[in-house]
Amino acid sequence: MTRALITLDDYRAAARRKLPRIVFDYLEGGAGSERGLSRNREAFARTRLLPDRLTDVSQRRQAIAPFGRPWESPFAVAPMGLTGVVRPQGDLILARAAARAGIPFCLSTAATSTIEAVRRASDGELWFQLYVVQRTLADRLVARAREAGCTTLVLTVDVAVNGDRVRDRRNGFGVPLRMTPRILLDGVRHPVWSLRQVRQGFPQLAHFVAAGDGDVEAQAALMARQMDASFDWAALARLRDDWRGTLIVKGIVSAEDARRCEGLGVDGVVVSNHGGRQLEDAPAPIDLLPAVADTCGLPVLMDSGVRDGADVVKAMAAGARGVLVGRPLLYALAADGERGVDAVLAMLRRQVDTTLALLGTPDVTRLERRHLA
């Protein structure tokens, strides 16, 4: 008898059953011994909520507009690479679900669908996350994002080199997947996943195989996170001049860097440790939020370690103006496809609503530091 998908743990367990180990480890893993991954979750677990009592919470509101455009819930879909390895057309599925939920979807440079394909598939708010592998390639991607109508560019700055992804090294994970005997055997044990991949064609880094960008060296560099390590504040200033839409810098962990972004005219920052996948001993973002939010005049977003609606509420109380959600949606994608992503987004929304009611706070924008015990 199939277990009902009710909690996120149910979706995670189903994803683990349905995916080959090499793919689940890519989804689940962190850097090194994964202390950072554990630290993110431990930080949320020890963050307590302090309710107000005798407050009218008969009507509750969780809509926000951190950059002037409305989100129906205080979370958006984080940029996630190689979603097509989890399920074919993963980027398109996530984008459509985000549009139905009334929240932004952020497409990764390491996506398995192009910006143009995602734009055709969804009429929702589309963001593009930029990894700078090569300057000329980055310029082309920025131009394509502009042409596709992306409202927001998210520059990720915490990947000068690749984090030590031990699970991926041990498994030999890469794109395209190298069909070793062990991987082939694992594929046989997961026939539904294997048949989907065979029918759709094994995923590739779509932005690098599109016309004019078929640079094999660039694809290999991106897979190894061999970024342009010379990208600096001056380069950010030039990007600000080139991109006239909303510009967000992701991977900020200090108030000083947030203030420097503000000084260059950046529109927002994301306090993030890349989901525990880069610098293993970086602090948990939920712990860093108050200092960054208190000293920076920009809208501050947050990701890393978010697993439920209560985590979203905690982040907002700590100073975030919005939250990016990643792994929970990949569990949903693996477990139940588009229906699963819709269900987990609805679950997060219900959890935010329930937490606000029990916290005595009828509007998510009225959350304050005093709500954290």
Side-chain angles (χ1 to χ4, degrees):
M1 183 175 178
T2 303
R3 181 178 179 179
L5 298 174
I6 297 174
T7 69
L8 186 64
D9 284 342
D10 295 334
Y11 281 93
R12 180 183 176 278
R16 188 165 196 165
R17 290 193 305 272
K18 293 186 176 186
L19 293 175
R21 176 174 177 174
I22 187 174
V23 178
F24 184 79
D25 279 355
Y26 167 73
L27 184 168
E28 183 82 345
S33 63
E34 303 187 346
R35 289 190 301 268
L37 197 63
S38 299
R39 188 179 303 112
N40 288 344
R41 292 302 305 139
E42 290 163 0
F44 271 113
R46 61 175 159 71
T47 302
R48 302 287 191 266
L49 292 168
L50 189 64
D52 293 330
R53 298 305 187 201
L54 296 173
T55 301
D56 182 356
V57 290
S58 58
Q59 300 293 322
R60 297 175 296 281
R61 183 177 182 275
Q62 57 178 280
I64 60 172
F67 303 103
R69 293 174 294 274
W71 306 10
E72 291 186 19
S73 293
F75 49 84
V77 179
M80 295 174 283
L82 304 180
T83 63
V85 177
V86 175
R87 186 176 287 249
Q89 300 187 340
D91 298 308
L92 308 186
I93 291 171
L94 290 166
R96 289 192 295 260
R100 286 190 291 270
I103 59 175
F105 167 75
C106 188
L107 182 69
S108 172
T109 293
T112 51
S113 298
T114 64
I115 310 171
E116 295 81 6
V118 173
R119 179 75 289 168
R120 290 191 297 270
S122 167
D123 60 359
E125 184 175 349
L126 178 59
W127 296 7
F128 183 70
Q129 175 259 349
L130 179 67
Y131 284 131
V132 180
V133 180
Q134 300 168 348
R135 300 289 177 96
T136 55
L137 176 60
D139 290 343
R140 292 202 298 270
L141 289 172
V142 169
R144 289 172 62 184
R146 185 184 299 113
E147 287 296 316
C150 294
T151 63
T152 302
L153 187 69
V154 180
L155 174 70
T156 297
V157 296
D158 56 4
V159 287
V161 298
N162 198 26
D164 184 17
R165 312 280 178 83
V166 174
R167 295 200 208 195
D168 291 349
R169 287 196 291 113
R170 181 175 289 121
N171 292 331
F173 180 83
V175 172
L177 289 175
R178 291 183 293 110
M179 290 297 117
T180 65
R182 186 177 64 169
I183 292 174
L184 287 170
L185 179 59
D186 208 0
V188 170
R189 291 169 174 163
H190 298 86
V192 175
W193 177 88
S194 298
L195 285 172
R196 286 196 188 107
Q197 296 293 336
V198 169
R199 287 170 182 163
Q200 297 287 331
F202 283 95
Q204 301 183 69
L205 294 168
H207 293 122
F208 295 81
V209 297
D213 289 335
D215 188 328
V216 175
E217 290 184 4
Q219 292 186 62
L222 181 57
M223 277 306 304
R225 297 297 195 280
Q226 293 171 354
M227 304 302 172
D228 182 348
S230 70
F231 195 92
D232 58 9
W233 291 102
L236 174 58
R238 289 192 292 273
L239 181 63
R240 171 70 285 181
D241 290 339
D242 185 47
W243 179 263
R244 301 322 303 164
T246 302
L247 177 61
I248 297 172
V249 176
K250 181 177 181 291
I252 296 298
V253 291
S254 75
E256 179 182 356
D257 282 349
R259 286 194 299 269
R260 291 190 73 175
C261 288
E262 186 176 10
L264 288 176
V266 168
D267 299 296
V269 297
V270 183
V271 178
S272 169
N273 65 16
H274 215 98
R277 293 163 73 84
Q278 283 298 106
L279 181 63
E280 180 176 11
D281 290 317
I286 185 67
D287 290 336
L288 302 172
L289 267 174
V292 176
D294 287 349
T295 58
C296 171
L298 299 174
V300 177
L301 308 183
M302 179 264 176
D303 75 6
S304 304
V306 176
R307 295 293 182 273
D308 59 33
D311 292 340
V312 173
V313 170
K314 290 174 183 179
M316 299 290 283
R321 295 278 297 279
V323 175
L324 304 182
V325 178
R327 280 187 181 91
L329 302 179
L330 292 183
Y331 298 147
L333 184 66
D336 204 19
E338 196 151 351
R339 179 174 58 184
V341 177
D342 283 338
V344 167
L345 288 173
M347 178 192 303
L348 290 169
R349 183 174 175 83
R350 287 194 305 272
Q351 291 168 340
V352 169
D353 181 70
T354 298
T355 306
L356 289 175
L358 296 177
L359 194 56
T361 306
D363 191 325
V364 74
T365 63
R366 288 164 57 182
L367 289 165
E368 299 176 356
R369 204 74 46 77
R370 66 184 181 81
H371 290 114
L372 301 179

